[in-house]
Amino acid sequence: MQKDQNARYYNKETMLANVALLYYGEGLTQSDIARRMSVSRATVVNMLREARETRIVNILVEGKYLAGSSMSNELRDKFGLEDVYVANSGKSDSKVSRAEMLRHLGRVGAIALTDITEPGDTIGVAWGETIFSLSEQMPQVRKPDVTVCQMIGSMNSEIVPASEQCAIQIANMMSAKCFTLHAPGVGSSPEIAALLRTEPTIEQQLLRLRSLDVTVASIGHVGDQTHLVKANMTTLEELHAARDAGAVGVICCRYIDANGEPVRVPPDDRLIATDCEDLRLARKKLLVVGGVRRKDAVLAAIKGDYVTHLCIDQSLAAALLDS
């Protein structure tokens, strides 16, 4: 009878909001709520999850507490960074799947981006698994007069949705203006890419990327399974040539060497994306990255001045401290 009355007077969103208030606001346990609502505890667990997934509940943690650990302070001092946010899931590394790590890293990265963004900032958003995870975890926090720009042309892969989706989602959660890059991320030839870069709308967007206040990017490794190959932006032959030329990492689809200097080999001349020099010009540069395999790439990014704020998982943090 009680269930019927609830269904009659409350719609689904209202029920989710009330359950969330009881749990997060009043501190009731899931069992307490289940008894009060005459439902099972499993139903309450599902309702709380759905309330988070549908953004009825926005969990916002103060970034300063995520950047205040002794590990964060040691990394900040060692590498001369403004802040380091360490994502710690509380489990041993061997028990944390990459999907779990990316989800938690995305949450911490979203808080870090919210933390460092100020009213009036222009944010450049990159692409990839990690940045997509961050965009999925963005809290709904309005930042006045913020502009979001897509830094890499449109690309799709089996792993990550189209690159513009990351920029659009972050802009929506900040109530910001969004400028997408209406071009493919990589042209079929250097000549076609050069022609596209001179198109007025594309040229205007690329010009915006030269005056960014904040960048949010990740960095990839140069192993054969790198996302650059998986997304069909380059071939294995080109990748091997890049490694032979000294490439140790990939940032915004561009190779860099151990000192953070650009490695100008294909597909560099076919890219329609922000350039390494544009990334360096930003006042605040948030690099969000996880996994010890990316240690050398992160060190290169720090040396190359692509990072002022770093968000990493605990295993990578420990590896960097030992480097």
Side-chain angles (χ1 to χ4, degrees), residues 121-191:
D121 277 348
T122 298
I123 306 171
V125 177
W127 177 60
E129 275 186 293
T130 306
I131 301 305
F132 178 68
S133 178
L134 181 153
S135 72
E136 287 277 277
Q137 305 297 334
M138 279 294 295
Q140 192 156 19
V141 179
R142 190 176 187 281
K143 294 284 184 174
D145 302 317
V146 165
T147 300
V148 173
C149 296
Q150 177 185 344
M151 292 199 297
I152 302 167
S154 185
M155 289 300 298
N156 224 333
S157 77
E158 295 179 358
I159 301 173
V160 189
S163 50
E164 57 266 29
Q165 188 168 332
C166 297
I168 291 169
Q169 191 140 290
I170 289 172
N172 286 343
M173 299 310 291
M174 287 186 167
S175 299
K177 292 183 291 185
C178 185
F179 291 98
T180 53
L181 187 49
H182 302 296
V186 61
S188 57
S189 71
E191 294 75 22

Side-chain angles (χ1 to χ4, degrees), residues 72-94:
S72 298
N73 291 334
E74 283 185 50
L75 286 164
R76 183 194 64 205
D77 295 342
K78 179 173 182 173
F79 295 109
L81 301 171
E82 292 188 30
D83 267 320
V84 178
Y85 302 77
V86 178
N88 180 359
S89 66
K91 301 176 182 178
S92 66
D93 295 338
S94 61

